[in-house]
C-alpha cells in the first residue's frame, strides 16, 4: 500500500532535515543558476536537492511533489522551478526575512514546531512488521520488570559507555556494539541477539542508524524513582 503524501508533510520533513543538519540549500541551487535568475529547470532542482543529501531523507514522491508545487510557466514552452519562492519558505527555519527593517521583533531561538523537545526521552517509532512490534513491546515490559526487581536503573551504565574516550560523543546515544555490550555484559541480562536487534531497530537514531538512543531506552525500562526499593 502506498501512503499518501501531502505538500505540508513533505515540506515539514524537508525543513526538519535542513534545520537539523544546517544545510544551505541555496548554495546547491546556485550551481544551476549562474545568472541568479531565481529559476532552474525541474531536473536541475531535483539534482540540487540530491547533491544536498535531501533525497536520503525524503522519498522520490515527496521531492516530486515539492518540485511540482514550485513550477512556473516562464513562457509558452518553458516550465521552470521558482527557487526564490522555494528558498523563502525553506530558509524561514534559519531566520526571519527583512529583520533589518524591524530589529526589535521577537525572534524565537529555534523553530519549536520542528524540534520535539522530548525527542531524546522516547521512541515513537513503530516497527514495520506488526509481529516485531508486538515482540519488542513484550520484551520492553520484561526488561522493565527486571530493572524494577533489581532496583538498578540502567541509564548510568549507558552514561559510562557514552563517556568512554573512544565513544563517538553523540548526545544521548551509544553505538550499536556499545549498546549490546551494556545489555549483555554490564547489566548481565539474559537477552538474545535477535532481541537486541529489535531494540536497536526500535531506538536507533533517526538519521544515523549506527547509533542507539539510550536515553529513550532507559526512560522506557527504568522504573520511576518512587517505585525503587529503599537503599
Amino acid at each position: 500500500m502506498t501512503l499518501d503524501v501531502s505538500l505540508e508533510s513533505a515540506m515539514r520533513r524537508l525543513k526538519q532535515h535542513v534545520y537539523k543538519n544546517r544545510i544551505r540549500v541555496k548554495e546547491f541551487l546556485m550551481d544551476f543558476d549562474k545568472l541568479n535568475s531565481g529559476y532552474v529547470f525541474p531536473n536541475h532542482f531535483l539534482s540540487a536537492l540530491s547533491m544536498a543529501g535531501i533525497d536520503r531523507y525524503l522519498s522520490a514522491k515527496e521531492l516530486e511533489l515539492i518540485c511540482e508545487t514550485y513550477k512556473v510557466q516562464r513562457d509558452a514552452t518553458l516550465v521552470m522551478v521558482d527557487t526564490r519562492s522555494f528558498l523563502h519558505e525553506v530558509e524561514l527555519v534559519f531566520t526571519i526575512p527583512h529583520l533589518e527593517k524591524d530589529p526589535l521583533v521577537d525572534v524565537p531561538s529555534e523553530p519549536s514546531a520542528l524540534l520535539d523537545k522530548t525527542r531524546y526521552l522516547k521512541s515513537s517509532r513503530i516497527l514495520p512488521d506488526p509481529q516485531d512490534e508486538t515482540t519488542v513491546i513484550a520484551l520492553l515490559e520484561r526488561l522493565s520488570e527486571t530493572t524494577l526487581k533489581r532496583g538498578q536503573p540502567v541509564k548510568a551504565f549507558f552514561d559510562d559507555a557514552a563517556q568512554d574516550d573512544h565513544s563517538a560523543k553523540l548526545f544521548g546515544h551509544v553505538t550499536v556494539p556499545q549498546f549490546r555490550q551494556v545489555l549483555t555484559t554490564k547489566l548481565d541480562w539474559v537477552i538474545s541477539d535477535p532481541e537486541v536487534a529489535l531494540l536497536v531497530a526500535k531506538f536507533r537514531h533517526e538519521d544515523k542508524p549506527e547509533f542507539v538512543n539510550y536515553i529513550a531506552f532507559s526512560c522506557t525500562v527504568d522504573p520511576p524513582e518512587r517505585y525503587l526499593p529503599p537503599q
Side-chain angles (χ1 to χ4, degrees):
M1 181 178 69
T2 303
L3 296 177
D4 291 334
V5 173
S6 70
L7 176 64
E8 181 181 2
S9 67
M11 287 298 295
R12 178 182 174 83
R13 280 165 47 76
L14 184 144
K15 289 178 182 180
Q16 284 177 324
H17 186 62
V18 164
Y19 182 81
K20 286 166 57 179
N21 295 282
R22 288 296 191 267
I23 298 171
R24 292 294 182 181
V25 183
K26 182 178 181 179
E27 296 177 4
F28 295 93
L29 287 168
M30 286 180 65
D31 287 342
F32 298 100
D33 184 16
K34 300 298 185 183
L35 299 179
N36 196 28
S37 67
Y39 299 92
V40 297
F41 293 108
N43 62 318
H44 288 167
F45 178 79
L46 294 174
S47 294
L49 297 188
S50 177
M51 289 165 58
I54 294 172
D55 61 341
R56 294 196 295 270
Y57 186 69
L58 269 68
S59 69
K61 187 173 182 180
E62 288 173 314
L63 294 175
E64 285 289 348
L65 177 58
I66 293 171
C67 183
E68 287 294 324
T69 299
Y70 288 94
K71 279 183 180 178
V72 292
Q73 195 81 35
R74 296 279 284 160
D75 60 34
T77 60
L78 182 62
V79 175
M80 301 189 78
V81 176
D82 179 355
T83 57
R84 284 203 179 99
S85 296
F86 170 73
L87 290 171
H88 173 80
E89 178 64 26
V90 171
E91 296 197 347
L92 287 177
V93 299
F94 292 117
T95 187
I96 295 177
H98 311 303
L99 186 62
E100 69 280 1
K101 296 180 182 178
D102 189 4
L104 299 181
V105 70
D106 184 25
V107 179
S109 60
E110 63 182 29
S112 56
L114 297 181
L115 293 182
D116 177 5
K117 293 187 181 296
T118 65
R119 61 193 181 279
Y120 292 117
L121 306 180
K122 62 186 178 180
S123 173
S124 57
R125 182 178 295 110
I126 304 297
L127 299 184
D129 186 330
Q131 183 58 51
D132 285 346
E133 180 65 18
T134 299
T135 301
V136 80
I137 293 300
L139 173 60
L140 289 167
E141 291 175 355
R142 189 188 94 203
L143 298 179
S144 183
E145 283 293 319
T146 300
T147 60
L148 180 60
K149 290 176 181 177
R150 291 185 180 182
Q152 184 184 47
V154 304
K155 181 176 177 293
F157 292 90
F158 288 107
D159 285 338
D160 287 344
Q163 293 167 10
D164 184 272
D165 290 340
H166 300 292
S167 177
K169 300 293 190 292
L170 179 64
F171 177 77
H173 292 74
V174 291
T175 64
V176 172
Q178 285 177 317
F179 183 72
R180 180 181 292 107
Q181 182 183 37
V182 171
L183 295 182
T184 59
T185 303
K186 304 296 184 182
L187 291 168
D188 195 27
W189 280 350
V190 178
I191 185 168
S192 67
D193 286 343
E195 288 175 327
V196 172
L198 284 177
L199 293 175
V200 168
K202 183 74 171 174
F203 292 96
R204 64 176 173 78
H205 190 281
E206 181 178 292
D207 300 318
K208 301 176 181 177
E210 67 272 23
F211 290 100
V212 180
N213 182 343
Y214 75 81
I215 293 182
F217 173 73
S218 300
C219 285
T220 303
V221 301
D222 278 348
E225 186 176 353
R226 65 182 181 274
Y227 292 130
L228 290 176
Q231 297 297 317

